[in-house]
Amino acid sequence: MFSESKKKRATVETRGQSNRIGKSTNIKGDVVSKADFRIDGKLEGSVETSGKIVIGTSGIITGKVICANADIEGKFNGELIVSNLLTLKNTAVIEGEVTVSKLSIDPGATFNATCAMKTGIKELNAGEGKKADKTA
């Protein structure tokens, strides 16, 4: 019973939390988080989160991003994988490879990327020893 309440508390603590990379911050490396991220500085590397990524107007990411949702106002160059909604604001500049489920592009955004739109694939467990069925 104690472990159940501890598990619930950890889940609640990660909700509503967000991380921020400020305008004057430059990061080289990989970042992994379950919380949302806002980038107003420069990041060279990769970001992986089950939350939302926001790249502000002064934000620049060069590398790989994997997230659930993304709002981009700044610059991105690399591989972008968004499992749900990618929103590009009019100041966004995107170059590279993009894989999304849903895409929204405001007039004025620059989108110089290859784009694959994919729906989520749900794997159903058909039991042990059996091959899992896939449905779209």
Side-chain angles (χ1 to χ4, degrees):
M1 186 167 202
F2 177 77
S3 64
E4 284 182 33
S5 64
K6 187 176 181 181
K7 194 181 287 186
K8 286 180 185 177
R9 190 179 80 228
T11 303
V12 170
E13 288 174 2
T14 58
R15 281 190 215 144
Q17 286 186 354
S18 63
N19 300 290
R20 185 172 185 138
I21 297 173
K23 198 174 191 177
S24 62
T25 304
N26 294 325
I27 294 179
K28 289 185 181 183
D30 302 329
V31 178
V32 178
S33 176
K34 291 183 180 180
D36 297 343
F37 252 95
R38 178 170 178 96
I39 293 116
D40 290 307
K42 185 176 181 182
L43 187 137
E44 293 180 42
S46 67
V47 179
E48 184 173 350
T49 180
S50 55
K52 181 178 187 176
I53 297 280
V54 176
I55 302 175
T57 54
S58 62
I60 300 170
I61 294 181
T62 304
K64 183 175 183 176
V65 170
I66 300 172
C67 61
N69 295 294
D71 286 350
I72 301 179
E73 299 175 50
K75 297 179 181 179
F76 177 83
N77 189 341
E79 183 179 5
L80 178 60
I81 301 168
V82 181
S83 61
N84 195 18
L85 175 63
L86 169 61
T87 303
L88 304 180
K89 303 297 184 181
N90 63 340
T91 55
V93 177
I94 307 298
E95 296 183 0
E97 299 175 26
V98 176
T99 304
V100 297
S101 178
K102 299 173 194 166
L103 177 63
S104 172
I105 303 176
D106 287 353
T110 303
F111 188 72
N112 295 321
T114 60
C115 183
M117 295 191 74
K118 300 185 179 196
T119 58
I121 296 176
K122 185 187 265 187
E123 289 191 26
L124 303 175
N125 189 355
E128 288 185 31
K130 292 183 181 179
K131 195 173 187 178
D133 295 330
K134 292 184 179 181
T135 60

